[in-house]
Amino acid sequence: MHDDAIEPFFATLAAANPSPQTELEFTSVFELLCAVLLSAQATDVGVNKATKRLFALAPTPQRMLALGLDQVTELIRTIGLFRTKAKNLTQTCRILVEQHGGEVPRSREALEALPGVGRKTANVVLNVAFGEATMAVDTHIFRVANRTGLAPGRTPLAVELKLLERVPPKYAVDAHHWLILHGRYVCQARRPQCERCVVRRWCDTAASTMPAEG
Ligand code: SF4
């Protein structure tokens, strides 16, 4: 994607969805952290179903610890990798209580030190909860960034760094939401819907698969 295309590319995505939101449901930074931690290899819809029950019983790290590993495991058993996630979640809650006064820390280093929290999860929390211009590269963003030519890269980290370099500051906070939603609903893995894609005129892949626009 040419440098000049980046501004209209994001302006178009922004016009279609001025305040994009994550599709995970949460009512606090703690619940957001839990939901993101549980969302690896699971759909947001599936995570929301499980967290509805979980958060009703355990809306704080203290209450989650009081619930105990067995109950947490039982409550999230509909989600992929639930045993590992339940362990990570309860260990994370213990660290939040013992080292952070029961609060979710705002630094990348402290977030990534929590069990089950990697770079991507830390990026989501820093962005959604604290408004920082981080790029959490998931499978959708990875695909869209490469197909469009916006931020080509062989690894999620390479794509993340390229996005940080190329996304204009005014779009940086919301960029990852637009790219995820675009990948989830339009630029889908098996069959990208180029014919109804609002950003096709700036996309490298569309240029090779669609007839030129008149
Ligand atoms: S034109 Fe096609 S490949 Fe390019 S972003 Fe849109 S849906 Fe994806």
Side-chain angles (χ1 to χ4, degrees), residues 9 144 147-148 182 186-188 192-201 203-207 209-210:
F9 174 88
V144 173
R147 274 186 186 159
T148 56
H182 193 63
V186 182
C187 191
Q188 292 162 332
Q193 299 176 34
C194 303
E195 62 288 347
R196 69 173 193 90
C197 173
V198 293
V199 290
R200 64 179 177 271
R201 58 190 291 197
C203 169
D204 289 355
T205 298
T209 59
M210 300 277 296

Side-chain angles (χ1 to χ4, degrees), residues 19-187:
S19 36
Q21 308 288 331
T22 171
E23 293 185 319
L24 289 172
E25 289 166 4
F26 60 94
T27 61
S28 67
V29 181
F30 170 67
E31 289 185 359
L32 170 68
L33 173 68
C34 297
V36 182
L37 191 151
L38 296 174
S39 71
Q41 293 183 44
T43 62
D44 287 358
V45 174
V47 171
N48 290 340
K49 257 191 208 159
T51 55
K52 194 171 251 175
R53 300 187 297 262
L54 181 68
F55 295 159
L57 293 168
T60 65
Q62 291 86 347
R63 299 268 297 273
M64 192 77 75
L65 281 178
L67 208 55
L69 178 60
D70 289 350
Q71 271 226 61
V72 171
T73 308
E74 190 54 37
L75 285 161
I76 65 164
R77 64 179 306 126
T78 49
I79 306 177
L81 309 175
F82 66 97
R83 285 184 206 283
T84 308
K85 288 176 179 174
K87 262 187 219 147
N88 285 337
L89 189 55
T90 45
Q91 282 172 9
T92 281
C93 288
R94 188 169 303 283
I95 295 174
L96 293 182
V97 171
E98 290 176 357
Q99 297 178 21
H100 301 287
E103 300 290 325
V104 176
R106 196 183 167 154
S107 85
R108 172 185 298 286
E109 201 186 359
L111 285 168
E112 288 188 18
L114 299 169
V117 177
R119 187 174 178 89
K120 197 193 87 182
T121 300
N123 278 336
V124 175
V125 172
L126 288 170
N127 177 278
V128 175
F130 300 122
E132 295 191 17
T134 54
M135 300 289 165
V137 177
D138 71 347
T139 173
H140 299 298
I141 295 194
F142 186 77
R143 183 174 68 251
V144 173
N146 274 293
R147 274 186 186 159
T148 56
L150 170 67
R154 288 178 176 216
T155 63
L157 182 60
V159 168
E160 178 186 330
L161 297 177
K162 196 91 193 152
L163 285 170
L164 290 172
E165 184 189 310
R166 292 197 94 191
V167 176
K170 71 190 255 210
Y171 301 116
V173 171
D174 288 329
H176 100 268
H177 289 307
W178 286 315
L179 297 173
I180 286 180
L181 295 171
H182 193 63
R184 194 174 281 167
Y185 297 112
V186 182
C187 191

